[in-house]
């Protein structure tokens, strides 16, 4: 898959500064399931073109489960290596990350200046009406030339040869592609979670709230996950001072339904932390920082530590929280630390409370005693909040097949009795008292969707 971007801004070779890629070099980057090569086929004062060639390994796509399985040979024969899909969007995000953020220390004024740009994508999947490409890009200031690619003997295919021209900031152009390529394809090659809402709002910060197709963009970008779409549209409504019901045409409801479970869970955790008077909090398994963001917004919390075993997750959290743009006063309250939750870490001591929000179900059951020992016996916070799915409630999710977990990485999901048995044993072993609370609607038959345990260290243990 080839992507090219050309500018005639003079001197045109300043494009290298904006992209942080030298025009005289060929650079290679490893991305998911393949390799991205960045090069400049033309680098002259009057015109400069950068190319990104994305090479995908079809066998690696199969191994990672990113293949098209619509037919028997779809695992090996598909269009993914040749078309501009979410894989190209992810490659753009990794290779041109700084440019997407609109940052250029050497030429800050140029980064903030609209310049003439021309983009060419030889093969773009376009699943939808014939004018969909125009409807998506034209309101953003692009002149659109989308020519259907014919298939011999079959007529026009669902692919277009796409050329975009316009005068925009480079960061705007890249963010448009980052969001709209998966939207045109109406597919993503990776699992969509609540973190995708933050990515969508960050990339669409200056344009999505006013886009006439914002509901379609949100639906498709979030793979039609109703709760995530609702969360995104609600946030957009707040940013645009628009009633959420007016904005959410995609949901076809007069009012926006109750908050998504992920949001309700974070709110419940924050409220409970304040209820017990915890001011110094460690978020264990913080992931991309959704809970950290809630804690930072509330000045009640004076010291916040985010911990995760994944360096990539911590990097995502740092970017998502925009630590580099925070005021010193806010940033001083937060620390990120890489650490495994199944090993005792002395740096986790001394906190009023620790949170394990949707974490334990990702741990292999034989490792749960090690996690309990590290958290309750090693870190010994004054309180521990644990949330985990209630598997009994899964029958209330119409799109979830019977016997399937809510997330492919879940090692197990407990019933209410199983969770209470585990929590009671841990509390007795490490000197805590435990109580249980529901999160989400408490169904009279199957209980709440999320179950929460609050452990409080006893005076004897202290």
């Amino acid at each position: 898959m080839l992507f090219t971007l050309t500018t005639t801004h003079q001197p045109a070779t300043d494009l290298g500064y904006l992209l942080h890629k030298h025009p005289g070099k060929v650079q290679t980057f490893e991305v998911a399931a393949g390799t991205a090569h960045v090069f400049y086929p033309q680098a002259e004062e009057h015109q400069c073109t950068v190319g990104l060639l994305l090479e995908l390994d079809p066998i690696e796509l199969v191994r990672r489960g990113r293949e098209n399985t619509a037919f028997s040979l779809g695992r090996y024969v598909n269009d993914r290596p040749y078309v501009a899909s979410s894989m190209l969007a992810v490659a753009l995000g990794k290779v041109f990350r700084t440019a997407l953020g609109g940052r250029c220390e050497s030429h800050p004024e140029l980064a903030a200046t609209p310049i003439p740009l021309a983009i060419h994508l030889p093969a773009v999947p376009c699943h939808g009406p014939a004018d969909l490409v125009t409807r998506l890009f034209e309101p953003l200031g692009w002149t659109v030339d989308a020519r259907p690619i014919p298939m011999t003997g079959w007529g026009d295919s669902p692919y277009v040869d796409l050329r975009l021209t316009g005068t925009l900031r480079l960061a705007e152009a890249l963010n448009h592609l980052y969001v709209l390529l998966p939207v045109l394809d109406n597919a993503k090659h990776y699992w969509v979670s609540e973190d995708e809402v933050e990515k969508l709002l960050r990339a669409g910060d200056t344009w999505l709230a006013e886009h006439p197709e914002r509901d379609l963009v949100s639906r498709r970008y979030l793979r039609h996950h109703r709760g995530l779409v609702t969360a995104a549209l609600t946030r957009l409504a707040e940013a645009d001072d628009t009633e959420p019901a007016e904005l959410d045409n995609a949901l076809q409801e007069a009012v926006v339904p109750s908050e998504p479970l992920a949001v309700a869970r974070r709110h419940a955790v924050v409220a409970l932390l304040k209820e017990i008077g915890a001011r110094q909090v460690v978020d264990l398994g913080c992931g991309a920082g959704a809970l950290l963001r809630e804690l930072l917004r509330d000045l009640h919390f004076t010291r916040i530590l985010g911990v995760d075993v994944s360096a990539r997750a911590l990097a995502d959290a740092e970017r998502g929280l925009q630590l580099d743009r925070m005021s010193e006063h806010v940033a001083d309250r937060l620390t990120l630390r890489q650490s495994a939750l199944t090993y005792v870490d002395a740096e986790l001591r001394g906190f009023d409370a620790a949170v394990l929000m949707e974490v334990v179900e990702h741990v292999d059951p034989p490792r749960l005693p090690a996690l309990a020992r590290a958290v309750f016996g090693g870190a010994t916070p004054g309180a521990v909040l644990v949330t985990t799915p209630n598997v009994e409630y899964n029958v209330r999710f119409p799109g979830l097949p019977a016997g399937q977990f809510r997330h492919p990485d879940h090692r197990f999901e407990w019933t209410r009795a199983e969770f209470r048995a585990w929590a009671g044993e841990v509390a007795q072993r490490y000197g805590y008292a435990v109580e249980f609370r529901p999160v989400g609607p408490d169904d009279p038959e199957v209980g709440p969707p999320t179950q929460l345990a609050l452990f409080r260290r006893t005076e004897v243990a202290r």
Side-chain angles (χ1 to χ4, degrees):
M1 178 61 230
L2 178 65
F3 154 84
T4 60
L5 182 148
T6 300
T7 185
T8 54
H9 168 82
Q10 310 227 344
T13 49
D14 280 353
L15 182 62
Y17 290 107
L18 292 178
L19 294 172
H20 297 260
K21 303 292 180 290
H22 195 286
K25 297 180 180 179
V26 175
Q27 295 179 263
T28 299
F29 303 84
E30 295 302 318
V31 297
T35 305
H37 307 278
V38 177
F39 58 96
Y40 289 77
Q42 181 181 17
E44 300 175 6
E45 294 292 309
H46 70 283
Q47 183 166 298
C48 186
T49 298
V50 64
L52 186 151
L53 178 64
L54 179 60
E55 293 184 305
L56 297 178
D57 181 352
I59 303 302
E60 186 63 20
L61 294 179
V62 174
R63 289 174 179 164
R64 291 171 178 254
R66 295 168 180 169
E67 68 283 355
N68 177 2
T69 56
F71 60 100
S72 59
L73 292 179
R75 288 166 53 86
Y76 302 97
V77 182
N78 56 70
D79 63 1
R80 297 298 89 177
Y82 312 107
V83 300
S85 65
S86 62
M87 296 183 185
L88 178 61
V90 169
L92 290 171
K94 179 174 182 178
V95 174
F96 300 135
R97 182 179 63 186
T98 305
L100 264 114
R103 300 188 300 276
C104 182
E105 294 183 3
S106 61
H107 291 65
E109 293 183 359
L110 181 58
T113 302
I115 61 175
L117 297 171
I119 291 171
H120 183 209
L121 292 159
V124 178
C126 181
H127 298 286
D131 65 342
L132 181 59
V133 180
T134 301
R135 285 163 45 194
L136 290 177
F137 283 99
E138 202 169 70
L140 300 174
W142 293 103
T143 298
V144 180
D145 181 3
R147 303 183 182 186
I149 299 174
M151 297 177 66
T152 304
W154 292 84
D156 289 340
S157 68
Y159 306 98
V160 297
D161 183 325
L162 178 61
R163 296 177 186 269
L164 303 170
T165 54
T167 301
L168 300 92
R169 291 189 302 113
L170 179 63
E172 290 177 328
L174 293 175
N175 278 293
H176 295 165
L177 293 173
Y178 182 81
V179 172
L180 296 181
L181 288 180
V183 169
L184 283 168
D185 194 20
N186 200 18
K188 278 195 171 183
H189 67 280
Y190 56 89
W191 179 262
V192 171
S193 66
E194 62 187 62
D195 297 340
E196 293 301 296
V197 175
E198 300 301 329
K199 292 180 185 178
L200 173 62
L201 297 180
R202 186 166 62 247
D205 180 46
T206 60
W207 56 272
L208 183 54
E210 299 177 354
H211 198 291
E213 299 290 346
R214 58 197 166 197
D215 56 347
L216 180 144
V217 170
S218 300
R219 271 203 327 272
R220 287 191 168 201
Y221 187 87
L222 298 169
R223 290 186 65 179
H224 304 272
H225 286 246
R226 185 182 181 87
L228 301 182
V229 173
T230 302
L233 290 170
T234 301
R235 296 269 295 277
L236 288 170
E238 293 171 353
D240 198 30
D241 293 328
T242 305
E243 287 298 322
E246 295 178 24
L247 192 64
D248 191 7
N249 296 325
L251 299 180
Q252 298 180 347
E253 292 188 358
V255 296
V256 172
S258 59
E259 61 185 359
L261 180 58
V263 177
R265 187 186 302 123
R266 292 197 297 272
H267 289 174
V269 167
V270 171
L272 188 50
L273 288 170
K274 295 178 73 172
E275 178 184 321
I276 64 176
R279 301 179 69 85
Q280 301 183 65
V281 179
V282 54
D283 182 8
L284 301 172
C286 65
L291 179 61
L292 297 178
R293 182 176 293 103
E294 298 285 346
L295 297 173
L296 279 172
R297 287 173 179 163
D298 197 322
L299 295 178
H300 170 86
F301 302 104
T302 57
R303 180 187 174 205
I304 304 164
L305 174 62
V307 178
D308 205 285
V309 70
S310 168
R312 180 177 179 180
L314 293 173
D316 288 343
E318 184 174 350
R319 287 195 300 272
L321 294 170
Q322 298 183 321
L323 294 185
D324 57 336
R325 300 184 185 181
M326 281 185 184
S327 67
E328 185 176 341
H329 173 70
V330 175
D332 284 347
R333 295 161 55 213
L334 175 66
T335 303
L336 298 178
R337 178 175 177 78
Q338 185 178 12
S339 184
L341 303 186
T342 52
Y343 294 92
V344 174
D345 184 346
E347 295 298 318
L348 307 186
R349 288 179 172 270
F351 286 85
D352 299 330
V355 177
L356 287 159
M357 189 175 72
E358 307 300 285
V359 170
V360 295
E361 64 273 11
H362 293 270
V363 179
D364 289 319
R367 301 294 293 161
L368 286 175
L371 180 144
R373 182 170 61 251
V375 174
F376 295 88
T380 61
V384 180
L385 279 68
V386 179
T387 75
T388 192
N390 168 23
V391 71
E392 297 168 75
Y393 193 89
N394 286 1
V395 297
R396 297 292 188 256
F397 293 114
L400 188 64
Q404 183 172 314
F405 292 153
R406 298 184 197 177
H407 192 284
D409 189 53
H410 285 184
R411 303 305 197 259
F412 61 86
E413 289 178 1
W414 277 324
T415 64
R416 288 168 290 174
E418 289 169 332
F419 183 47
R420 287 173 177 265
W422 174 82
E425 181 181 347
V426 169
Q428 184 176 8
R429 178 182 296 273
Y430 294 103
Y432 284 79
V434 63
E435 60 183 275
F436 301 91
R437 302 193 183 189
V439 177
D442 198 355
D443 189 287
E445 295 181 7
V446 297
T450 295
Q451 42 193 340
L452 183 152
L454 169 62
F455 299 81
R456 287 197 257 200
R457 196 159 177 79
T458 63
E459 289 302 318
V460 172
R462 289 180 186 279

